[in-house]
């Protein structure tokens, strides 16, 4: 029994997603430990993004169960919830592989939109806010403070009033993480956050993720191609190939798993040793 | 030698292309210009076919020659002189600072307008201009209402006139059947229009882009056709007349005892009511603007704009996109309803003819020309379009042509509308800059 099975924040049970005849994800089960950084890895087209889309409600799984255990003790069955409710109620936030920011809005506005739900309540569903009643003003100021906090953490504070589309790629990636964090998630799903970053930015990203996990107790589930990132920061690695789980364990364990090596080299399991010798890994 | 060859091939290619164009023109002109069905005069009402081959020849020749010229000198040349229309027009247009000045300038002008006109032209001469100003303000209000839906939320609504009609008919019918006064009907008309906005929006807002546009277009037509055919209830094509005029806190604008003029000790003049209507629509329009500007700074307004930018990202942030779209639709519809009941009370007579698709198109054109999401832009576009429309009445049909050309010129010059920068709804620093429209999305439904 590994640590992530004791108190999982998310349990994925027999998840299957079919698109017509194509089984993008087949009977996948794994646990995301509370407070862990869990990495979901696999070759291109393995079905990683599909798993994310199922967790965040963008796809309805063909089969299987997704149980989110909030720290409050509430259980949410994600496969039955509408996508926006998964973020609003189950507190799962995500970023996208192809960045999706509100390009024509400023960075600060992006972070304010992320706090839509609490602000709506504070403004009595707009009516109170429109009439200037209640604590809307105060909540608004607090929301700006939260935004500023995350802008400082992601090093974007100087550019708060710049349209998001004007940011460079690395900054956009960090802004997307900051925006997801502004929804106050308990589980943060990051789809290839390090893609296209230079080594320095990649390092900063690692620090940011460690910080999020440590200071905010947010569990992180990330898809990553860069093995060095995965090995360095993750506590738990799940490996997918053709939609099927081929390995699950600590980074050490996964690194030495012949199935994983086979999948990444693109050969059959029993040919691994031979190929490794040829390439000169061993 | 090379030069000559190139020149030659350029010429040959141009001629080929122009011949193609001429052929298409011939095919079209044959049916559209060449044949004309006419009623024979004298011999009863017999139809006969008239041929106009000369006109066809002229049309085809014109297409060939112009196309050849354009091909030779611009389209097919590599060193074509850049004859972008934009070259002739001033760059930049309305910047941040100047819009602010413009805003307050226009506000002062709008408040002072009736009195300035009265002073210079007298009550007789100014009447027509105040009437025109009322019309412009009605379109400003409609433009601002539609701006919530199209400009902020990015939902393309081609049937906005439906809500205008619902507002107008709500007031007319409530007054007709129950004898309600304008001031009771105004909010009711808005609520009814918003209600219809929700009824329509609920099934329709899951559609996106073109599909949404088509369905809203159909809805606009359905409302008009129902109004046209439900003779017992709406009076059908005869319309509804004798719609009561609004009162000034219970004071009617009538001659004699107890009227507005009598109460204030003024000499009765029919212009009083016109001026009252002017300020009424002015206040209603400013109210629309005020609410919209306030909402933009509230979570709901930001959610609308975020929806226009990226709907999927909105859902990933926990925003209920259906409800958000519905509120935009209902609110836009409500302001349309207000404007509609004002229209009814001003005209005193309404019929389905006032609510054709052309109205929707004009309102949408105002929003697009003004610059999606820009409040000042809507005002300028309304003045240019409605004002221009009325000013050039004597040109009759040509004004449509000129109108079309102006639209094309504006769209070439400023493809994002006259005022094409977006002010952030919240900023940390005092001097945050406007966001260039190139970055702002138009929404996909
Ligand atoms: N909406 C869809 N309709 C049909 N097929 C889909 C859909 N979404 C994903 N797929 C298919 O599912 C498979 C897995 O895709 P997915 O995007 O999950 O891979 P991935 O592991 O994220 O790959 P990458 O590393 O390239 O991002 C692919 O074969 C893809 O074509
Ligand atoms: Mg992917």
């Amino acid at each position: 029994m590994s640590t992530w099975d004791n108190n999982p924040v998310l349990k994925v049970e027999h998840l299957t997603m079919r698109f017509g005849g194509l089984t993008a994800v087949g009977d996948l089960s794994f646990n995301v430990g509370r407070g862990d950084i869990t990495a979901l890895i696999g070759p291109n087209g393995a079905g990683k993004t599909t798993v994310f889309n199922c967790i965040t409600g963008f796809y309805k799984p063909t089969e299987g169960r997704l149980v989110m255990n909030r720290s409050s003790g509430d259980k949410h069955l994600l496969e039955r919830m509408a996508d926006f409710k998964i973020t609003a109620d189950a507190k799962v936030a995500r970023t996208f592989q192809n960045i999706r920011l509100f390009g024509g809005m400023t960075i600060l506005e992006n972070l304010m939109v992320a706090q839509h739900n609490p602000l709506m309540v504070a403004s009595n569903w707009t009516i109170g806010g429109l009439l200037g009643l209640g604590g809307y003003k105060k909540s608004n100021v607090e929301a700006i403070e939260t935004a500023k906090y995350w802008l400082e953490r992601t090093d974007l504070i100087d550019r708060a009033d710049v349209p998001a589309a004007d940011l460079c790629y690395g900054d956009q990636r960090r802004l997307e993480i900051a925006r997801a964090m502004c929804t106050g998630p308990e589980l943060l799903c990051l789809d290839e956050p390090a893609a296209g970053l230079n080594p320095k930015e990649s390092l900063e990203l690692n620090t940011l993720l460690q910080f999020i996990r440590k200071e905010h107790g947010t569990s992180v589930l990330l898809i990553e191609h860069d093995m060095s990132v995965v090995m360095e920061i993750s506590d738990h690695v799940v490996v997918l190939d053709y939609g099927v789980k081929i390995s699950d364990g600590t980074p050490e364990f996964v690194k030495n798993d012949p199935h994983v090596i086979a999948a990444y080299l693109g050969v059959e399991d029993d040919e691994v040793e031979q190929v490794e010798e040829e390439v000169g890994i061993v | 030698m090379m030069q000559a060859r190139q020149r030659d091939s350029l010429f040959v290619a141009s001629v080929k292309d122009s011949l193609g164009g001429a052929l298409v023109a011939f095919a079209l002109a044959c049916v559209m210009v060449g044949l004309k069905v006419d009623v024979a005069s004298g011999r009863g009402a017999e139809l006969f076919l008239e041929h106009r081959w000369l006109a066809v020849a002229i049309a085809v020749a014109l297409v060939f020659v112009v196309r050849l010229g354009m091909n030779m000198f611009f389209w097919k040349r590599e060193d074509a002189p850049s004859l972008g229309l934009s070259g002739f027009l001033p760059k930049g247009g309305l910047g941040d600072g100047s819009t602010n000045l413009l805003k307050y300038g226009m506000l002062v002008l709008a408040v002072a307008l009736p009195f300035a006109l009265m002073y210079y032209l007298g009550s007789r001469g100014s009447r027509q201009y105040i009437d025109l100003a009322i019309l412009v303000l009605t379109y400003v209000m409609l433009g601002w209402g539609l701006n919530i839906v199209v400009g902020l939320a990015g939902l393309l609504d081609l049937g906005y006139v439906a809500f205008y009609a619902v507002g107008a008919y709500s007031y007319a019918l409530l007054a007709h059947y129950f004898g309600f006064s304008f001031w009771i009907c105004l909010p009711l008309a808005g609520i009814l229009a918003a209600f219809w906005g929700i009824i329509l929006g609920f099934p329709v807002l899951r559609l996106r882009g073109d599909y949404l546009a088509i369905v809203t277009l159909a809805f606009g037509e359905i409302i008009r056709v129902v109004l046209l055919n439900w003779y017992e209830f709406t009076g059908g094509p005869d319309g509804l007349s004798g719609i009561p005029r609004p009162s000034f806190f219970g004071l009617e604008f009538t001659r004699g005892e107890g009227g507005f003029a009598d109460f204030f000790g003024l000499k009765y003049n029919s212009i009083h009511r016109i001026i009252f209507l002017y300020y009424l629509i002015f206040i209603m329009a400013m109210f629309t603007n005020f609410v919209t500007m306030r909402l933009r700074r509230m979570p709901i307004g930001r959610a609308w704009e975020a929806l226009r930018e990226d709907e999927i990202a909105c859902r990933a942030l926990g925003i209920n996109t259906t409800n958000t779209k519905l509120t935009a639709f209902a609110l836009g519809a409500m302001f349309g309803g207000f404007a509609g009941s004002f229209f009814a009370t001003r005209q005193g007579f309404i019929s389905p003819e006032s609510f054709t698709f052309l109205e929707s198109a004009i309102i949408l054109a105002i929003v697009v020309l003004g610059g999606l999401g820009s409040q000042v832009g809507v005002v300028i576009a309304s003045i240019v379009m409605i004002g221009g429309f009325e000013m050039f009445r004597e040109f009759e049909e040509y004004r449509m042509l000129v109108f079309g050309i102006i639209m094309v010129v504006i769209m070439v010059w400023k493809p994002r509308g006259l005022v094409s920068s977006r002010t952030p709804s919240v900023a940390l620093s005092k001097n945050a800059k406007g966001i260039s429209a190139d970055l702002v999305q138009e929404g996909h439904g």
Side-chain angles (χ1 to χ4, degrees):
Chain A
M1 204 74 174
S2 317
T3 51
W4 45 84
D5 294 327
N6 295 334
N7 180 18
V9 62
L10 176 75
K11 278 166 87 95
V12 176
E13 295 171 359
H14 306 290
L15 177 69
T16 301
M17 184 74 217
R18 290 195 199 95
F19 298 107
L22 176 86
T23 305
V25 178
D27 196 26
L28 174 70
S29 302
F30 67 94
N31 290 334
V32 179
R34 191 178 303 283
D36 280 356
I37 294 182
T38 308
L40 187 60
I41 66 171
N44 287 107
K48 306 177 296 290
T49 302
T50 306
V51 172
F52 265 36
N53 283 337
C54 289
I55 293 174
T56 51
F58 282 86
Y59 294 159
K60 287 279 156 265
T62 320
E63 283 163 32
R65 223 160 75 111
L66 298 155
V67 188
M68 175 77 192
N69 296 306
R70 292 277 307 271
S71 53
S72 61
D74 293 349
K75 267 191 204 303
H76 294 276
L77 296 178
L78 302 185
E79 78 279 4
R80 299 186 187 169
M81 295 170 74
D83 44 17
F84 71 93
K85 287 237 169 200
I86 291 179
T87 308
D89 300 343
K91 293 289 169 201
V92 180
R94 73 170 293 179
T95 65
F96 294 89
Q97 185 166 358
N98 46 341
I99 307 174
R100 285 183 171 274
L101 291 169
F102 306 122
M105 303 174 85
T106 66
I107 290 161
L108 181 62
E109 283 179 305
N110 268 271
L111 300 191
M112 293 300 278
V113 173
Q115 303 177 62
H116 177 78
N117 287 320
L119 282 175
M120 276 305 264
V121 175
S123 68
N124 301 103
W125 284 270
T126 309
I127 295 160
L130 205 57
L131 301 174
L133 301 176
Y136 173 64
K137 268 221 175 88
K138 192 164 145 272
S139 311
N140 197 40
V141 172
E142 278 169 12
I144 293 177
E145 286 307 315
T146 309
K148 268 161 104 175
Y149 171 83
W150 283 110
L151 288 179
E152 268 155 21
R153 296 266 73 97
T154 48
D155 223 0
L156 292 167
I157 190 78
D158 300 331
R159 317 206 61 195
D161 298 328
V162 173
D166 269 356
L167 290 181
C168 66
Y169 190 79
D171 289 349
Q172 291 196 355
R173 281 254 176 245
R174 265 179 299 142
L175 175 58
E176 218 190 4
I177 296 175
R179 191 179 66 179
M181 284 312 292
C182 278
T183 63
E186 284 186 24
L187 175 64
L188 177 65
C189 300
L190 304 172
D191 199 342
E192 304 202 11
L197 299 190
N198 63 35
K200 183 171 156 283
E201 288 171 327
S202 185
L203 211 65
E204 286 168 359
L205 177 76
N206 287 359
T207 326
L208 177 66
L209 294 185
Q210 301 277 18
F211 169 83
I212 287 173
R213 181 257 293 269
K214 235 179 43 234
E215 299 296 317
H216 292 267
T218 306
S219 317
V220 179
L221 175 62
L222 83 159
I223 294 176
E224 193 45 78
H225 273 301
D226 187 343
M227 279 316 218
S228 62
V229 175
V230 173
M231 293 305 151
E232 192 172 319
I233 64 167
S234 50
D235 307 298
H236 173 195
V237 181
V238 176
V239 191
L240 278 189
D241 192 20
Y242 295 109
V244 179
K245 184 167 87 172
I246 56 170
S247 187
D248 183 346
T250 60
E252 261 323 293
F253 172 79
V254 166
K255 192 160 74 177
N256 299 315
D257 188 338
H259 296 293
V260 178
I261 299 164
Y264 269 82
L265 293 175
V267 295
E268 296 299 323
D269 285 359
D270 46 10
E271 293 170 32
V272 167
E273 271 173 42
Q274 185 198 335
V275 175
E276 278 185 334
E277 261 165 45
E278 280 169 18
V279 204
I281 294 180
V282 196
Chain B
M1 185 61 201
M2 268 298 278
Q3 274 287 320
R5 258 190 76 117
Q6 215 166 23
R7 188 112 206 120
D8 189 51
S9 65
L10 171 74
F11 180 72
V12 171
S14 302
V15 169
K16 270 187 192 157
D17 181 89
S18 309
L19 277 176
L23 202 67
V24 173
F26 177 69
L28 288 174
C30 261
V31 222
M32 285 160 54
V33 180
L35 304 176
K36 188 181 173 210
V37 182
D38 217 340
V39 182
S41 52
R43 289 179 288 149
E46 224 171 288
L47 290 175
F48 74 95
L49 207 56
E50 196 186 325
H51 303 278
R52 297 190 295 186
W53 299 122
L54 184 66
V56 174
I58 293 173
V60 172
L62 209 64
V63 167
F64 180 77
V65 170
V66 171
R67 209 174 159 88
L68 186 66
M70 291 304 277
N71 271 328
M72 291 283 289
F73 297 106
F74 300 110
W75 293 341
K76 293 220 192 287
R77 268 173 88 126
E78 274 162 29
D79 58 340
S82 64
L83 187 97
L85 218 48
S86 40
F88 295 121
L89 294 159
K91 277 264 146 45
L94 302 153
D96 270 351
S98 61
T99 43
N100 241 340
L101 203 72
L102 200 70
K103 241 189 309 209
Y104 293 111
M106 281 197 298
L107 197 65
V108 171
L109 193 72
V111 173
L113 186 74
F115 292 103
L117 282 172
M118 289 277 280
Y119 183 78
Y120 286 111
L121 299 171
S123 58
R124 226 163 225 291
S126 58
R127 187 184 167 128
Q128 119 188 53
Y129 294 104
I130 299 180
D131 257 333
L132 178 57
I134 292 174
L135 193 67
V136 169
L137 278 177
T138 313
Y139 279 95
V140 168
M141 177 160 177
L142 286 168
W144 278 342
L146 186 62
N147 212 0
I148 297 176
V149 184
V150 180
L152 293 184
L155 306 165
L156 184 52
D157 182 355
L158 291 181
Y160 191 63
V161 76
F163 306 120
Y164 190 39
V166 167
Y169 269 88
S170 299
Y171 172 43
L173 291 170
L174 284 170
H176 184 75
Y177 287 104
F178 301 103
F180 287 175
S181 81
F182 175 73
W183 293 107
I184 298 174
C185 291
L186 182 66
L188 285 180
I191 290 167
L192 277 171
F195 174 72
W196 278 102
I198 292 172
I199 299 245
L200 165 72
F202 210 72
V204 156
L205 286 177
R206 62 195 69 228
L207 300 176
R208 313 192 71 203
D210 309 350
Y211 301 101
L212 178 69
I214 290 167
V215 176
T216 50
L217 175 85
F219 180 71
E221 284 301 288
I222 288 170
I223 293 260
R224 190 177 64 82
V225 171
V226 167
L227 292 175
L228 198 60
N229 289 296
W230 197 355
Y231 193 82
E232 306 80 59
F233 187 56
T234 64
D238 303 345
L240 289 163
S241 55
I243 300 168
R245 304 295 188 161
S247 61
F248 181 77
F249 296 103
L251 296 171
E252 302 287 343
F253 289 88
T254 47
R255 201 185 282 277
E257 273 304 279
F260 174 84
D262 180 48
F263 186 85
F264 287 99
L266 300 168
K267 199 165 158 292
Y268 173 79
N269 190 338
S270 61
I271 195 88
H272 290 163
R273 190 178 63 220
I274 310 284
I275 294 178
F276 171 67
L277 284 174
Y278 175 84
Y279 281 111
L280 180 62
I281 186 67
F282 176 69
I283 289 166
M284 282 166 62
M286 287 316 289
F287 174 70
T288 310
N289 181 42
F290 175 76
V291 171
T292 311
M293 292 319 277
R294 251 196 106 115
L295 286 176
R296 258 202 79 206
R297 282 161 218 285
M298 307 246 315
I300 187 74
R302 279 194 213 111
W304 289 337
E305 292 202 78
L307 205 62
R308 176 192 66 203
E309 297 285 322
D310 193 327
E311 186 177 339
I312 290 178
C314 276
R315 298 213 305 255
L317 294 175
I319 295 173
N320 184 340
T321 50
T322 315
N323 285 358
T324 308
K325 283 181 184 178
L326 269 182
T327 50
F329 225 65
L331 216 70
M334 186 179 82
F335 289 123
F338 288 154
S341 62
F342 173 81
F343 176 76
T345 196
R346 176 173 101 101
Q347 301 290 74
F349 165 79
I350 51 169
S351 74
E353 236 165 89
S354 312
F355 307 106
T356 53
F357 170 68
L358 187 67
E359 291 298 307
S360 288
I362 290 176
I363 303 165
L364 188 66
I366 286 173
V367 173
V368 172
L369 285 185
L372 286 175
S374 161
Q375 300 288 91
V376 183
V378 166
V379 179
I380 300 170
S382 306
I383 294 173
V384 170
M385 283 193 45
I386 306 301
F389 231 60
E390 297 297 316
M391 284 292 175
F392 298 110
R393 243 183 210 293
E394 60 255 45
F395 294 108
E396 290 174 12
E397 278 149 48
Y398 292 103
R399 69 192 173 135
M400 269 312 211
L401 194 70
V402 174
F403 173 66
I405 292 173
I406 290 174
M407 291 253 278
V408 171
V409 169
I410 291 180
M411 284 290 112
V412 170
W413 170 42
K414 297 204 74 110
R416 291 311 194 98
L418 292 168
V419 181
S420 53
S421 96
R422 179 183 169 273
T423 326
S425 66
V426 55
L428 284 189
S429 67
K430 285 258 154 16
N431 45 7
K433 282 211 285 280
I435 297 168
S436 145
D438 304 335
L439 303 177
V440 178
Q441 299 290 312
E442 287 147 0
H444 302 280

